Amino acid sequence: MTPKPRKPGPQGATRRPVRPTPEAHHNEGPSAQRFRAEGWLQRGWLQQRLAAQDGLQRLIDAPIATILTLSVLGIALAFPIGLFALVDNARQLSQGWNSSAQISVFLRDNLPSTQIDQITAHIRQRPEVSSAHYISSQQAWDEFRAASGLGKALDVVEDNPLPALILVQPDLSGGDSARIKQLLSFLQGEPGVDSAQLDTAWVQRLYALLDLARKAVLWLSGLAGLAVLLIVGNTIRLMSQSYREQIEVYKLLGATNGYVRRPFLYVGVAYGLGGGLVAWVIVAASFAGFGHSVSQVAALYNSPFLVTGPGPVAILAMLSGGLALGWGGSWLAVARYIRAVNPT
Amino acid sequence: MIQCDDVTKTYPGGFEALSHVQFHLEKGELAFLTGPSGAGKSTLLRLLAAMERTTWGKVVIDGQDLSRLGTRHIPALRRKIGFVFQNPRLLNDRTVYDNVALPLLIAGHRPQEIGSRVRAALDTVGLLSKEKSSPLTLSGGEQQRVGIARAVVTRPPVLLADEPTGNLDPELSREIMNLFIQLIQMGTTALIASHDHDLVQHLRRRVITLRDGQLVDDHHV
Ligand SMILES: Nc1ncnc2c1ncn2[C@@H]1O[C@H](COP(=O)(O)OP(=O)(O)O)[C@@H](O)[C@H]1O
Ligand SMILES: [Mg+2]
């Protein structure tokens, strides 16, 4: 990270062709007056722009270190964003399975038909129920006999052992297990209901798993954010130490702590944003690669499932998160150091 | 413009580098600060540039009492002072031009508007042709002159120099000192430290002499 001499030449940030006018040394000239007339807003903007240029120059001066740091940041950020998109895909996929999640509500024996109608109507009123229909114990028995293929052999069984039931189709567009549980306990509490069973308990388990995965991804995001903060902080701490002599000279020439700090903050912002962009490229490339295979497999199962990468909100969150963390990390790393460096 | 009242500086450890130093420089006045090595010249200049604080007494620059100056106000004070160091402390990763431009940028000037001032400063020290060079490719005397150009480019009201000719041969030293005298004609108040007593005596200016931290002589040659 040792700064190398910059190439002198017209591309230098501070050089513009100007006629040499020695008189200007003795007389401030119109430019100085114009400068004083300018508002603080333009001055502030100018200072920010120059600091940003200076910060970028520092990154360009150490290209290998910059590329390595950006890669590390990109990988650290790619993990949570990629997993987040993965869990999102799984949620979308599982939403298609909601229709197969049925609740069988078994009724007590010998209920009067008026009470059965009442219970059915009551169940239909629930917002999380999309449909409910009654199957008498006789209907159930007939269906079972037809489906089992045992036919007349079952005539031996004299008493119909099957209870009457109401088949409930839950509407779970939100797709969370808490609502299913709520519905189940409501159904179990209904008078006249013997028991209520979710036919596809595995769907419930899947939802629980997805919930867990979402929490894990959030936790991972927090860890990745911390990693970014530490990586940027440490990189910039080392960088500021290699700039110690420069910091001293700046301070001797009358630079404020803020002035000295600013380029470093822009370096942090560039790291954070750049890391976010690298992460985006990594995740997009991974999804493009795997997504194709997944779609092929899905096509075999006659499913139109398409893997989608992180959406614009996730990308925006990643970039702004990277920016904020980069800025914060470099602030933490340099603010105290710069205040403590005193020219000798 | 520069006022030292009963200035005493005791370094941590108890060494008294300056004791009860008293002098006053009018606006536009130039004085040399001389005395053997270890007399306290650098210490005095560091007090004037707010790099150290006095233990006792008062240092006033342009009406500002430095012993009461908050840390927040030090940068603004330093922008009023041009400082030339024995080791010129140039930034070797920048061109000569960029080194001289630095104080103007720190003061908030636009890069496009400072070209003429930077070149004028480089011209007065005779290094206009080297503006695109790296300081590393310059000789010691040239580097020192770049340091001087950087110190005067903002035309500061106060100029402080600590052994600006310390590493140079006698001929170059005289040249550099004459350069200072030439630059001071614009109303700058200047204090130039040098242990080279003979050199200073030849320049026919006010000479303040320190010995063991005490002001032992202050007269116009
Ligand atoms: N930071 C310091 N801590 C302790 N003693 C110091 C420090 N700086 C200078 N001194 C001592 O103060 C005395 C004066 O030093 P200095 O001002 O550098 O003298 P000069 O510049 O005249 O050679 C010396 O004896 C030196 O050892
Ligand atoms: Mg000294």
Side-chain angles (χ1 to χ4, degrees), chain B residues 11 15 17 36-43:
Chain B
Y11 278 114
F15 183 82
S37 180
K41 306 181 294 294
S42 297
T43 301

Side-chain angles (χ1 to χ4, degrees), chain A residues 16 176 189 223 225 243:
Chain A
R16 299 284 185 287
D176 62 318
L223 284 182
Y243 277 83

Side-chain angles (χ1 to χ4, degrees), chain B residues 165-220:
Chain B
T165 65
N167 298 326
L168 307 178
D169 57 62
E171 181 139 357
L172 256 178
S173 299
R174 220 174 354 259
E175 212 178 284
I176 297 266
M177 286 302 187
N178 280 320
L179 184 58
F180 270 118
I181 293 170
Q182 197 186 314
L183 291 172
I184 302 321
Q185 285 163 358
M186 304 178 300
T188 307
T189 312
L191 187 61
I192 301 165
S194 171
H195 68 276
D196 191 341
H197 196 254
D198 293 343
L199 172 69
V200 165
Q201 292 297 322
H202 272 110
L203 295 164
R204 314 201 157 276
R205 293 287 172 152
R206 181 171 168 191
V207 178
I208 298 168
T209 309
L210 291 177
R211 183 163 296 131
D212 296 332
Q214 315 231 347
L215 196 157
V216 293
D217 192 20
D218 183 355
H219 73 284
H220 204 284

Side-chain angles (χ1 to χ4, degrees), chain A residues 38 50 122 142 154 176 268-269 331:
Chain A
E38 265 172 1
L50 291 175
H122 204 189
D142 290 344
L154 286 171
D176 62 318
V269 164
W331 177 280

Side-chain angles (χ1 to χ4, degrees), chain A residues 149-220:
Chain A
L150 295 173
K152 288 200 188 294
L154 286 171
D155 287 347
V156 205
V157 183
E158 282 180 6
D159 277 341
N160 172 5
L162 295 181
L165 74 153
I166 301 171
L167 273 182
V168 174
Q169 186 74 60
D171 165 37
L172 294 174
S173 31
D176 62 318
S177 53
R179 287 187 71 190
I180 298 191
K181 267 192 211 130
Q182 241 180 342
L183 181 59
L184 268 178
S185 65
F186 159 76
L187 293 170
Q188 270 152 0
E190 271 293 276
V193 169
D194 188 42
S195 70
Q197 237 172 32
L198 186 63
D199 288 350
T200 43
W202 64 273
V203 172
Q204 201 180 5
R205 271 185 223 127
L206 179 72
Y207 286 148
L209 265 175
L210 284 177
D211 273 356
L212 190 68
R214 262 162 64 85
K215 279 179 192 139
V217 169
L218 274 179
W219 172 238
L220 262 177

Side-chain angles (χ1 to χ4, degrees), chain B residues 5-6 24 34 66 78 104:
Chain B
D5 267 340
D6 201 18
H24 192 176
T34 189
L66 300 202
R78 291 206 179 122
L104 292 169

